[in-house]
Amino acid sequence: MSLPKISVIIVNYNGKKLLENCLESLFKTDYNNFEVLVKFDTCDPKVPAYLPKLEQYPFAVKHIVEPRGRGYIDIHIGYTRAM
C-alpha cells in the first residue's frame, strides 16, 4: 500500500526568498510523500529566470504561470488551477 501524497500549494508567494525558504525546509522531510505546486504570475518578470532552479530539489516541484487576475479576490482560482 502506498502512502498518500500531500500537496503544498503556494500562490502569490510574495517574493522568491519566501519560496526558497519553504522549499529548503522540506529537505528535512521524507519527500517521497509530497509534492509542491506553485502558481506564478505572468506579470512577474523574475519568473522565467527562476523556473530552472525548481529542478534542483529532490522532490516534485510543479508549477504553472498564469495571469494574476484580480489579486486576492481571485486567489481561489490560482489554488484550483495549481491543483
Side-chain angles (χ1 to χ4, degrees):
M1 176 171 66
S2 64
L3 295 172
K5 185 161 276 213
I6 298 170
S7 297
V8 178
I9 304 170
I10 302 171
V11 176
N12 290 341
Y13 65 95
N14 199 18
K16 74 173 191 168
K17 203 59 171 169
L18 176 64
L19 178 59
E20 286 176 1
N21 290 342
C22 174
L23 294 176
E24 293 294 324
S25 71
L26 295 174
F27 272 109
K28 301 171 189 165
T29 65
D30 178 5
Y31 38 78
N32 292 313
N33 297 325
F34 69 86
E35 64 185 354
V36 178
L37 308 174
V38 185
K39 188 264 187 188
F40 293 101
D41 294 333
T42 53
C43 61
D44 186 343
K46 298 176 187 173
V47 170
Y50 187 71
L51 292 179
K53 295 179 183 181
L54 297 178
E55 297 175 11
Q56 73 183 8
Y57 297 99
F59 43 83
V61 181
K62 301 173 184 174
H63 72 279
I64 59 171
V65 182
E66 294 190 333
R68 179 181 306 230
R70 298 176 295 168
Y72 283 107
I73 293 171
D74 288 340
I75 199 166
H76 65 285
I77 296 170
Y79 285 128
T80 303
R81 299 277 299 155
M83 288 188 286

